[in-house]
């Protein structure tokens, strides 16, 4: 079986369309989406519609939770919270109540059987929190404690940090998908992950997809996105 995992779209429907086209060309059997669909991008509504059109497994991210109930004190740096709340309200204004209810209803984790011998545990951040951070550089014991609670899994996948990587701990695989719409690793190509397996054998690979970043930057101007300077800095060519 071949499964594509993607996350952290952040309202970047142009990047998502490019990723879905790339996925289609690779003939995957299933797509799984690991959260952060709408918030912090120029096209929250269209991004959500594209995800929902996949009719597939979607889990909730911290940004989806923010859209539903707002950003609470202590969840982001004090110097950023006012602007992030403006962004949250801007996003909510573009969505319907049915959209909000959909985000509210999303589960926080999922398990996928890649083969009869390989199980994947997938979520947005950690099993205990939509907000906790597991860094690529964390010690093995930290990663095991925060992320690898389901001892029956062979592969652990998550989003949230926007930094794609693959590593192995005690014979098990841990990988971050990176971000479709807002990568933080200095490469403004969309990032997602493909897992392929047969029996006990499997491979895990990060995929990077080039798309029209200039179009997205122009959209930020056109819709008068409230924190467009930040997004320019992340996506700027």
């Amino acid at each position: 079986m071949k499964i594509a995992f993607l996350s952290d779209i952040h309202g970047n429907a142009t990047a998502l369309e490019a990723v879905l086209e790339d996925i289609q060309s690779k003939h995957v059997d299933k797509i799984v989406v690991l959260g952060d669909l709408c918030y912090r991008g120029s096209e929250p509504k269209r991004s959500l519609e594209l995800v929902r059109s996949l009719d597939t497994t979607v889990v909730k991210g911290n940004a989806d939770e923010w859209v539903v109930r707002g950003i609470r004190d202590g969840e982001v740096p004090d110097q950023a919270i006012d602007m992030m709340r403006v962004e949250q309200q801007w996003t909510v204004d573009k969505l319907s109540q049915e959209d909000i209810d959909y985000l509210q209803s999303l589960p926080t984790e999922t398990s996928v059987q890649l083969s009869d011998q390989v199980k994947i545990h997938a979520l947005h951040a950690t099993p205990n929190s939509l907000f906790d951070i597991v860094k690529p550089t964390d010690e093995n014991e930290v990663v095991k404690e925060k992320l690898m609670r389901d001892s029956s899994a062979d592969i652990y996948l998550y989003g949230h940090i926007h930094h794609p990587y693959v590593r192995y701990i005690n014979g098990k695989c841990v990988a971050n998908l990176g971000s479709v719409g807002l990568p933080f690793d200095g490469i403004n190509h969309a990032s997602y992950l493909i897992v392929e397996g047969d029996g006990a054998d499997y491979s895990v690979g990060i995929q990077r997809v080039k798309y029209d970043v200039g179009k997205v930057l122009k959209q930020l101007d056109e819709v008068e996105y409230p924190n467009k300077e930040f997004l320019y800095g992340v996506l700027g060519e």
Side-chain angles (χ1 to χ4, degrees):
M1 180 176 282
K2 181 187 288 189
I3 307 175
F5 291 84
L6 57 98
S7 73
D8 297 276
I9 298 155
H10 290 284
N12 189 340
T14 299
L16 178 57
E17 283 180 325
V19 165
L20 294 177
E21 184 177 340
D22 191 67
I23 288 171
Q24 185 175 24
S25 74
K26 291 173 179 173
H27 306 292
V28 306
D29 300 296
K30 183 178 175 65
I31 299 173
V32 179
V33 183
L34 301 186
D36 282 10
L37 312 181
C38 306
Y39 173 75
R40 187 159 267 184
S42 60
E43 294 190 280
K45 179 77 171 181
R46 193 160 77 90
S47 297
L48 182 56
E49 288 173 346
L50 284 169
V51 169
R52 297 187 68 175
S53 73
L54 299 174
D55 191 25
T56 193
T57 302
V58 182
V59 304
K60 184 187 290 186
N62 64 293
D64 305 312
E65 183 73 357
W66 281 340
V67 171
V68 169
R69 52 82 161 161
I71 303 171
R72 295 172 181 165
D73 290 343
E75 290 181 341
V76 300
D78 290 345
Q79 65 270 25
I81 194 166
D82 288 343
M83 177 54 76
M84 291 183 71
R85 284 172 170 162
V86 171
E87 291 178 83
Q88 186 268 352
Q89 187 59 57
W90 186 92
T91 302
V92 169
D93 289 344
K94 301 296 184 289
L95 303 176
S96 68
Q97 186 57 51
E98 197 271 337
D99 294 331
I100 304 296
D101 292 343
Y102 170 80
L103 295 174
Q104 171 65 41
S105 72
L106 292 175
T108 57
E109 58 188 320
T110 188
S111 292
V112 183
Q113 204 68 38
L114 181 66
S115 71
D116 58 350
Q117 298 182 56
V118 178
K119 175 184 173 183
I120 301 170
H121 187 213
L123 37 70
H124 182 70
T126 72
N128 290 337
S129 170
L130 294 175
F131 300 90
D132 202 2
I133 292 173
V134 178
K135 300 176 184 177
T137 55
D138 280 341
E139 297 290 337
N140 285 354
E141 290 304 315
V142 173
V143 177
K144 287 166 62 179
E145 172 64 24
K146 286 186 173 183
L147 198 61
M148 303 171 71
R149 296 289 181 88
D150 181 358
S151 60
S152 68
D154 306 283
I155 301 171
Y156 302 84
L157 303 179
Y158 71 111
H160 190 46
I161 63 171
H162 300 213
H163 281 274
Y165 73 89
V166 180
R167 67 191 279 189
Y168 297 86
I169 299 174
N170 296 340
K172 297 192 175 189
C173 180
V174 177
N176 188 272
L177 319 184
S179 172
V180 169
L182 205 60
F184 287 168
D185 60 357
I187 303 171
N188 64 2
H189 296 181
S191 177
Y192 76 100
L193 182 145
I194 287 180
V195 185
E196 189 167 5
D198 182 19
D201 299 327
Y202 66 83
S203 62
V204 178
I206 303 295
Q207 317 294 311
R208 301 307 289 254
V209 181
K210 188 175 183 180
Y211 67 96
D212 191 347
V213 174
K215 175 183 175 181
V216 175
L217 298 178
K218 184 179 179 181
Q219 285 173 341
L220 292 167
D221 279 330
E222 291 172 345
V223 302
E224 298 182 343
Y225 189 77
N227 195 14
K228 60 186 178 183
E229 291 78 12
F230 169 77
L231 298 184
Y232 291 163
V234 176
L235 296 175
E237 295 177 286

